[in-house]
């Protein structure tokens, strides 16, 4: 992924530069604190102290802790973008492709579950974060809906409900499963992935293509 993702320009107060050492130090400090505390318990003064910078330096880069969490989750968002790119190309075996995309999402969360939990907390408490989340989600849904329509037009997928509505529901299923997994749900990861893959395939193609 390049630095040109539109979401990234909205997260930081300044132009995005992941190589900026002070910015990187702040995100490293936030990541360490989130391994020990919830986002609500973390405070900007402690983030800044651990990063070796002033509070004003934090606000130079980030509007709030919630915005900093979004920046910390850049890799997950980029992974989701890459996975969506793979999905919408509709190349190769649909089941393998869809399973690979869903697995990528779980892999991304499993790398840093503490930051994903903080993202869920930020989404619930920050209107700005919720707006960015919804905007990114709408963009993904649009791309999936376009893929469904192309597959239907090519005769690969069966006719069905409105493609945009179907895409939104399928992404809801992904979100809910990943959230439960991150929060310590009891279902095994592979069982979640198997079930989601089955639901995507049957919803779009009617059966295994």
């Amino acid at each position: 992924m390049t630095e040109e993702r539109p979401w990234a320009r909205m997260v930081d107060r300044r132009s995005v530069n992941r190589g900026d050492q002070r910015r990187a130090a702040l995100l490293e400090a936030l990541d360490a604190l989130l391994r020990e505390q919830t986002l609500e318990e973390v405070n900007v003064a402690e983030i800044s102290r651990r990063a070796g910078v002033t509070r004003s330096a934090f606000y130079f880069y980030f509007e709030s802790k919630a915005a900093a969490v979004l920046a910390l989750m850049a890799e997950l968002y980029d992974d989701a973008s890459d996975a969506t790119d793979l999905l919408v190309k509709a190349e190769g075996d649909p089941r393998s492709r869809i399973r690979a995309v869903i697995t990528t999402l779980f892999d991304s969360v499993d790398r840093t579950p503490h930051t994903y939990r903080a993202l869920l907390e930020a989404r619930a408490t920050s209107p700005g974060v919720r707006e960015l989340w919804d905007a990114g989600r709408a963009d993904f849904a649009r791309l999936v809906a376009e893929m469904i329509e192309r597959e239907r037009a090519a005769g690969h997928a069966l006719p069905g409900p409105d493609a945009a509505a179907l895409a939104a529901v399928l992404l809801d299923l992904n979100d809910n499963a990943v959230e439960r997994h991150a929060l310590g749900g009891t279902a095994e990861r592979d069982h979640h992935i198997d079930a989601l893959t089955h639901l995507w395939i049957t919803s779009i193609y009617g059966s295994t293509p």
Side-chain angles (χ1 to χ4, degrees):
M1 284 296 95
T2 70
E3 302 292 355
E4 297 303 315
R5 288 291 186 190
W7 79 275
R9 294 194 295 272
M10 294 185 285
V11 167
D12 292 297
R13 283 186 178 275
R14 306 292 162 177
S15 59
V16 175
N17 179 3
R18 296 183 193 173
D20 187 305
Q21 292 184 350
R22 291 200 306 172
R23 180 182 181 278
L26 285 164
L27 292 179
E28 184 177 345
L30 175 59
D31 179 78
L33 286 165
L34 288 173
R35 294 174 187 270
E36 308 162 3
Q37 305 171 31
T38 66
L39 181 61
E40 182 179 6
E41 293 168 338
V42 172
N43 63 72
V44 171
E46 180 62 13
I47 297 171
S48 303
R49 186 191 67 77
R50 289 203 182 195
V53 301
T54 63
R55 280 174 57 95
S56 60
F58 177 90
Y59 289 111
F60 177 85
Y61 294 101
F62 308 111
E63 178 180 310
S64 63
K65 293 185 299 181
V69 169
L70 279 178
L72 197 58
M73 295 304 295
E75 186 174 353
L76 183 144
Y77 193 96
D78 285 349
D79 284 348
S81 297
D82 286 343
T84 303
D85 290 345
L86 172 64
L87 178 66
V88 301
K89 286 179 182 177
E91 297 174 351
D93 172 59
R95 178 174 291 278
S96 298
R97 186 177 73 250
I98 289 172
R99 184 180 177 85
V101 168
I102 294 170
T103 300
T104 295
L105 298 179
F106 277 80
D107 287 345
S108 298
V109 172
D110 282 342
R111 280 200 297 271
T112 55
H114 58 288
T115 51
Y116 188 75
R117 290 191 291 269
L119 176 61
L120 295 175
E121 189 179 347
R123 185 187 67 180
T125 58
S126 169
V129 170
R130 182 71 192 191
E131 182 180 352
L132 289 174
W133 176 285
D134 288 346
R137 179 68 158 56
D139 192 44
F140 287 152
R142 176 183 58 79
L143 293 173
V144 173
E146 290 173 357
M147 181 273 289
I148 293 171
E149 290 173 344
R150 288 197 305 272
E151 288 287 81
R152 287 175 176 175
H156 300 152
L158 295 178
D162 176 75
L166 178 57
V169 169
L170 290 173
L171 289 175
D172 280 342
L173 291 173
N174 283 7
D175 288 348
N176 290 335
V178 169
E179 181 173 334
R180 287 177 60 83
H181 178 68
L183 295 176
T186 56
E188 291 186 15
R189 169 191 149 118
D190 286 347
H191 291 170
H192 261 144
I193 294 172
D194 288 342
L196 287 169
T197 301
H198 175 77
L199 289 169
W200 274 72
I201 287 293
T202 54
S203 297
I204 296 172
Y205 297 99
S207 62
T208 302

